[in-house]
Amino acid sequence: MKLHLNALALGGALSFLGICPPATAQVAVNINVPGLVIMAPPAPRYEAPPAPRGGFVWVPGRWAWNGQDYAWRPGRWVKARAGYDYAPGRWVEDRGGWRWSEGNWRRREGWREHHERHERRRDRDAHRHHEHGPYHCPPGQAKKGRC
């Protein structure tokens, strides 16, 4: 009798498993990457730049992430650097989120240096074209400055 009850229990369990819907699992992974914000920044606000101020450069305002939401930081004056131009910061898409790229100073190019570099590049490209046929830059290399 005991064997009969065990077989009946086993049969009931198997029939129960047969009518149950298959289990589904869904996994969400949220990797916290420092400096990466998942929510896109709002459109920039227009700020009328103030009148020029000798010896200073105007840095436009920006949206800053405060850990929960974006907050507007107004523009400000920074001391100019001789021989340099200021390139403002910007939000950059990165790994499924957004990262702030700080503004920086870039050496101002004189006309002569720019012209000489342009001539060297043109000569180099002409040499490649004549010696090796039409020049082809491999995919992705032009963005890296290798072509």
Side-chain angles (χ1 to χ4, degrees):
M1 183 78 173
K2 190 172 186 168
L3 181 61
H4 182 63
L5 287 176
N6 286 340
L8 187 60
L10 180 62
L14 289 176
S15 66
F16 177 73
L17 290 175
I19 61 172
C20 287
T24 58
Q26 194 172 21
V27 177
V29 178
N30 185 9
I31 299 172
N32 186 13
V33 178
L36 194 67
V37 180
I38 301 302
M39 188 168 52
R45 284 186 184 174
Y46 173 75
E47 281 186 319
R53 188 172 159 190
F56 288 86
V57 174
W58 177 252
V59 176
R62 70 176 185 99
W63 289 106
W65 180 253
N66 65 14
Q68 296 176 347
D69 201 4
Y70 286 96
W72 181 256
R73 288 193 182 160
R76 67 192 191 285
W77 290 104
V78 293
K79 189 155 181 59
R81 291 179 60 187
Y84 288 83
D85 291 321
Y86 185 77
R90 61 193 174 95
W91 282 99
V92 180
E93 242 180 311
D94 183 20
R95 292 181 266 172
W98 295 85
R99 181 182 304 280
W100 175 253
S101 176
E102 284 294 337
N104 57 23
W105 294 95
R106 297 182 182 162
R107 183 174 289 282
R108 187 177 302 135
E109 290 190 53
W111 181 85
R112 181 181 300 276
E113 291 86 6
H114 176 75
H115 182 71
E116 288 173 356
R117 186 173 341 156
H118 178 71
E119 290 295 317
R120 284 193 304 269
R121 187 177 299 134
R122 192 179 71 191
D123 291 345
R124 181 191 70 208
D125 291 346
H127 174 72
R128 285 180 180 165
H129 180 75
H130 291 296
E131 195 171 284
H132 306 290
Y135 179 70
H136 172 72
C137 184
Q141 300 301 310
K143 288 183 179 179
K144 296 177 183 176
R146 296 182 181 155
C147 296

